[in-house]
Amino acid sequence: MTNQPIGGNELARFSGPGTFMRLPAAETAQGLDVAIIGVPMDHGTSWRSGTRFGPKELRSQSAMIRPYNIQTGAAPFDSLNCADLGDVAINTFNLSATIDIISDYYDEVLKHDVVPMTLGGDHTLTLPILRAIAKKHGPVGLVHVDAHADVSDSMFGEREVHGTVFRRAYEEGLLDPSRVWQVGLRGTGYSAEDFDDPLEWGFKMILAQEIWHKSLAPLAAEIRKEIGEGPVYMSYDIDSLDPAYAPGTGTPEIGGLTTPQAMELIRGLRGLDIVGCDLVEVSPPYDTTGNTALTGANLMFEMLSILPGVTYR
Ligand code: MN
Ligand code: MN
């Protein structure tokens, strides 16, 4: 019998444990197929802070999510044993120490045969996670949904912050660059050459304006086909959505994805060998209605629903 979330008819949804979807808490990843992990940090952000409160609020908003995905038929808890490992004990006064703490933590988690699903936290956290993921799986494919490519070389001279993650990951050989897709890119840049390097590395970059007013099902099918077999990491920056849908984030950019587009994209990637994923950059202090965290929590459930081994009814 796999772990089940507490049902809404067993205990009122506004009560009970503060775990993701009110799943059981666990101390280690032993015996799990999926480990939910919070990384409450915001010292890698360049503009508005607040993502340190992201994991707690994503878990809070997840309490209303029911276990069966009516629209897709996914019943993830029928076959996958899931639990919430709580938060990584980051050092809120030291970013570089935090990066090492995160990679050590994921090294430990990945000693087990488990898919880590991370609640952020600012996007910096994806770099140490990818270090641990690549140590286990080798260079991975990547689906990175974001308003920003996060490929700067440095910010204020710092090389490991939320805007440099995917350049470092490329340089360190953590990614298979021919299987990297970045979707939703937009906003203002520093120069006309901002995207030259990643395109040269082999990244596929999909600008938001290319997918305005369109279903993302065809794009998802193309990504799925092009990435093909082999391990893939999925990194979902909530600022990929338009600020109309997800205002509670640190670096909002107008002209982004709609919520249905975000769902179509994830659903269309079913079949990929996803070995880990994250949902980052939810900043509750800027999320006055809770809608951003609600959307983020549901997108996590959508990602859970496409993991390898999920039962479809
Ligand atoms: Mn980002
Ligand atoms: Mn972003």
Side-chain angles (χ1 to χ4, degrees):
M1 185 66 182
T2 50
N3 286 337
Q4 298 296 314
I6 296 173
N9 295 317
E10 299 167 57
L11 183 67
R13 291 215 169 270
F14 41 83
S15 59
T19 54
F20 187 75
M21 287 183 72
R22 306 195 303 171
L23 280 160
E27 295 289 320
T28 76
Q30 179 147 29
L32 298 179
D33 301 305
V34 175
I36 312 288
I37 300 162
V39 183
M41 63 182 290
D42 55 16
H43 39 349
T45 52
S46 52
W47 180 233
R48 313 192 302 203
S49 59
T51 54
R52 63 176 64 184
F53 300 109
K56 191 170 278 256
E57 194 56 26
L58 286 163
R59 288 187 176 105
S60 173
Q61 294 290 342
S62 77
M64 205 180 76
I65 304 174
R66 304 164 194 89
Y68 176 58
N69 197 328
I70 288 178
Q71 300 160 79
T72 67
F77 305 108
D78 279 10
S79 51
L80 298 183
N81 200 33
C82 309
D84 191 327
L85 298 192
D87 288 343
V88 179
I90 62 102
N91 179 339
T92 198
F93 301 108
N94 188 324
L95 179 58
S96 62
T98 292
I99 289 169
D100 291 339
I101 290 168
I102 296 168
S103 57
D104 289 348
Y105 182 97
Y106 281 79
D107 282 342
E108 197 61 37
V109 165
L110 290 170
K111 285 179 182 163
H112 306 279
D113 187 18
V114 69
V115 175
M117 297 190 72
T118 303
L119 309 165
D122 77 66
H123 219 155
T124 313
L125 60 88
T126 303
L127 179 60
I129 292 174
L130 282 173
R131 285 172 178 154
I133 288 273
K135 206 182 280 181
K136 174 163 180 164
H137 296 282
V140 290
L142 174 74
V143 180
H144 169 212
V145 192
D146 200 326
H148 313 96
D150 295 347
V151 291
S152 293
D153 188 35
S154 66
M155 302 175 89
F156 278 84
E158 300 294 331
R159 291 170 55 81
E160 298 184 0
V161 296
H162 79 156
T164 66
V165 169
F166 298 101
R167 180 177 290 266
R168 292 292 94 77
Y170 166 75
E171 289 171 348
E172 294 178 22
L174 312 179
L175 303 173
D176 172 357
S178 68
R179 296 170 63 239
V180 171
W181 288 72
Q182 298 185 294
V183 179
L185 308 176
R186 61 189 190 273
T188 45
Y190 289 100
S191 77
E193 292 81 40
D194 279 5
F195 293 167
D196 286 3
D197 287 348
L199 288 171
E200 199 167 295
W201 305 333
F203 288 16
K204 315 291 187 303
M205 306 178 94
I206 307 295
L207 303 179
Q209 68 193 29
E210 297 174 47
I211 49 180
W212 280 348
H213 319 299
K214 288 182 186 167
S215 164
L216 291 201
L219 175 65
E222 184 189 357
I223 293 173
R224 193 186 139 188
K225 181 165 155 283
E226 291 295 320
I227 286 183
E229 307 297 310
V232 186
Y233 189 82
M234 184 154 189
S235 189
Y236 210 107
D237 186 327
I238 199 70
D239 72 27
S240 56
L241 290 181
D242 192 273
Y245 302 97
T249 191
T251 45
E253 306 282 359
I254 64 167
L257 273 56
T258 67
T259 304
Q261 282 183 312
M263 296 166 82
E264 282 178 321
L265 178 60
I266 295 172
R267 290 174 182 184
L269 297 175
R270 179 182 163 201
L272 286 179
D273 181 16
I274 295 170
V275 294
C277 59
D278 59 53
L279 190 294
V280 299
E281 299 283 356
V282 170
S283 177
Y286 291 94
D287 189 25
T288 53
T289 61
N291 275 350
T292 311
L294 176 72
T295 303
N298 276 277
L299 293 180
M300 277 294 274
F301 180 65
E302 293 288 342
M303 289 194 275
L304 174 63
S305 296
I306 63 160
L307 292 185
V310 167
T311 303
Y312 275 71
R313 290 185 191 160

